[in-house]
Amino acid sequence: MNSRKDARRGSAADKNATSTQEPQSTFVAYPLLREPVTGSIPYQRNKWHPTIDRSLILLLTMLCAFTRLYQIGRSNRVSWDESFFHSRFPNQYLNRSYYHDVHPPLAKLLISLSRFVVDGNNRTIEPKGNYPPDYNYTFTRCFIALFGIGLAPLAYLTCLNLNMHRRTCFLAGILVIADNALCVMSRFVLLDAPLLFFTAAALCSIAGFQNSRHCAFSLAWWRWLLLTGISLGLVSSSKWVGLFAVALVGLYTVEELLNMYTDFTPATTALRHFGARVAALIVLPLAIYMASFVVHFAVLNRSGSGDATMPPAFQARLHGSKLNHQPFTVMYGSVLNLRSMHPGSGLLHSHPHKYPDGSQQQQITGYSHSDSNNNWVVMRVGNGFNYTSDPLVQVKDGDIVRLMHKRTSAMLHSHRAHKAPVSTRDYEVTAYGKPEWTDANNEWRIEIHKEDSSVANGEIHAITTQFRLRHIVTNCLLSAAAVKLPPWGFRQTEVSCSRSQYLKSAANLWVVERHVNSRLPSVDMRPMVKTSFIGNFIRLNMEMARSNNALIPDHDKYNHLESDPWSWPFLVYPMRMLGSWNKGDIKYYEVGNPLI
């Protein structure tokens, strides 16, 4: 009996010893540190070694600078997309003329700043040919090359934060230096070098933040978190493709917060982490992104080529705009340009071309550019009116009006007989008939939706009054929803008569953008129009998105500059970055490095 008890005691002791030596492993999102954290330096396997790391970073920077700057000014021709980013867009910023582009403004503002520093006389550089002999184009190329030079040390720091061996970190920097594509791209005035630098900075910062996660809310933790947010704001403000970096950081953040949840982190601690990430990774990048547009709008305060992409109220506040001075109150007999409030729909337009199907009457479209075919005369119902000598009569809410296309004398018309060519749920809108004809299908009722000026007296005013045009016979609303017509409509916007009664839809709202009447005095519209940064910011980003979506390659045409993804690893279609095909001129050939 005693021997059995002793065996049991021995067995229990062995179990206790085993459990003491091999504790059961459990998942911990934020494990305890085995080494204390001192100062603001985060815990990491690769601790910062001032002598070694600084020396290696300096060496990588010098090697990268040599490859990026060597004979960078040898070619004096405007090469590749320098015609846009070193010529056209900086010209607009230096002349302060408003323009439209698909990219956010930060990188273009930096390029323009470098041009202003080296050449402050606001000269216009032609988008083709040679740079002016007295223009220091090398300075701007060197300025952009600095972003390419920064990629090598950032590669080293990123790998160091990812706890790789220092030899591996140094190799990463060497691979960046030796990549032909990165080298060539950094030697031209393009948006790609700032974009890649800010992307690399975001990756380096999030790697540093990952290393400091064990010392949450320490100085090092906040430093890396804020650097990540700043980098995301800068990369998003340079090109929208930088949003992939935002997505990467967002996925990492979601995973991190889920780990806290599954590890039963206290609610107060989890809320603090959540709030810190919202502030640093959402609010801060968004503030930087919006700040770039604040500068963009402040610099471009003169009328330019991109006016038509913005609402009339914005255009009226630009110096030199045709909308600055015009009659305020609309009268019968006035010549009007009517703009749809839907982004991308443009101005009410007509031309002598006919619809190929349906009624085969004169086309009505939306057109974004200034054109004499955008002019319409607002007329009363009936005949016998002399708009040059009769007393002036205001156009008011509830009036039934007719609109005559000034160039062809055809009337704005709709009917139930035919459907719209693309939006088949709507009725067709055409230009048909003559002013002397009596046709109820040419009659439209004005319904004021909103008055943005302080003069809300039921009258139609230029720019400030939003209204609907309701067809008398069919009860439908004149609508332009940015739907494109086929080639027979010149890819212009379809204008239809919508049976939808959604009165607040922007597609159903119109505004008088331009008002001409020789019998009325012109007034300064700028004090009367109201505009806000948030509204202009949202509208511009919507127009940028629309322009990006319109950049669809035509697969029916061969383009030697385009390539399919399958060819990228094999370097089948390199890119020629030429300023000239002439014999003897310097030419650049961008191709990846097969050894890398």
Side-chain angles (χ1 to χ4, degrees), residues 92-221:
Q92 304 289 344
Y93 280 116
L94 295 177
N95 295 327
R96 310 194 70 174
S97 301
Y98 189 81
Y99 74 94
H100 175 70
D101 185 40
V102 298
H103 301 303
L106 177 61
K108 292 175 291 186
L109 284 167
L110 292 174
I111 295 172
S112 302
L113 177 62
S114 69
R115 262 194 58 181
F116 178 77
V117 170
V118 72
D119 186 39
N121 61 358
N122 301 349
R123 83 169 77 204
T124 297
I125 296 179
E126 297 300 325
K128 294 182 179 180
N130 294 338
Y131 287 110
D134 58 339
Y135 172 63
N136 187 9
Y137 60 90
T138 304
F139 177 87
T140 305
R141 284 183 177 173
C142 290
F143 173 76
I144 294 300
L146 292 178
F147 293 98
I149 294 170
L151 291 177
L154 280 176
Y156 179 90
L157 290 173
T158 301
C159 293
L160 194 69
N161 284 329
L162 293 175
N163 298 312
M164 297 181 184
H165 195 281
R166 278 185 171 79
R167 283 177 291 188
T168 305
C169 300
F170 186 76
L171 177 62
I174 292 296
L175 293 178
V176 169
I177 294 172
D179 186 83
N180 299 336
L182 291 177
C183 180
V184 173
M185 193 66 68
S186 301
R187 296 170 64 86
F188 293 96
V189 184
L190 306 173
L191 305 185
D192 301 85
L195 172 72
L196 291 172
F197 177 81
F198 295 140
T199 302
L203 182 59
C204 180
S205 300
I206 196 63
F209 179 70
Q210 162 73 10
N211 257 340
S212 63
R213 68 191 186 281
H214 302 290
C215 49
F217 304 106
S218 66
L219 179 60
W221 187 89

Side-chain angles (χ1 to χ4, degrees), residues 103-104 192 195-196 199 235-236 238-246:
H103 301 303
D192 301 85
L195 172 72
L196 291 172
T199 302
V235 72
S236 301
S238 299
K239 258 187 174 183
W240 274 0
V241 71
L243 293 176
F244 284 107
V246 177

Side-chain angles (χ1 to χ4, degrees), residues 27-91:
F27 174 77
V28 179
Y30 290 86
L32 296 176
L33 299 180
R34 296 184 179 179
E35 295 184 25
V37 177
T38 58
S40 62
I41 302 177
Y43 168 68
Q44 53 185 11
R45 292 198 301 272
N46 284 336
K47 291 187 177 181
W48 176 260
H49 194 291
T51 303
I52 296 177
D53 291 322
R54 288 175 181 171
S55 300
L56 292 177
I57 289 175
L58 179 61
L59 177 59
L60 289 172
T61 303
M62 293 174 62
L63 292 174
C64 196
F66 175 77
T67 59
R68 270 58 175 174
L69 298 178
Y70 178 71
Q71 292 190 349
I72 193 173
R74 183 179 178 185
S75 174
N76 64 344
R77 295 190 66 87
V78 179
S79 301
W80 194 243
D81 278 354
E82 283 188 336
S83 60
F84 295 101
F85 304 120
H86 194 188
S87 175
R88 184 176 303 173
F89 297 142
N91 287 345

Side-chain angles (χ1 to χ4, degrees), residues 47 65 82 132 212 283 400 448 461 495 507 586 595:
K47 291 187 177 181
E82 283 188 336
S212 63
V283 177
I400 298 176
I448 291 181
H461 303 129
V495 175
I586 299 172
L595 299 179

Side-chain angles (χ1 to χ4, degrees), residues 412-462:
L412 186 66
H413 177 96
S414 187
H415 41 231
R416 287 194 178 95
H418 301 283
K419 306 299 182 183
V422 180
S423 305
T424 55
R425 296 183 61 183
D426 299 344
Y427 294 126
E428 182 187 62
V429 175
T430 70
Y432 175 75
K434 298 298 179 182
E436 59 272 15
W437 293 5
T438 301
D439 188 347
N441 283 323
N442 297 341
E443 298 174 5
W444 305 79
R445 178 183 288 108
I446 290 182
E447 299 175 357
I448 291 181
H449 171 69
K450 183 172 67 171
E451 175 60 51
D452 289 331
S453 73
S454 58
V455 186
N457 55 4
E459 298 175 350
I460 302 296
H461 303 129

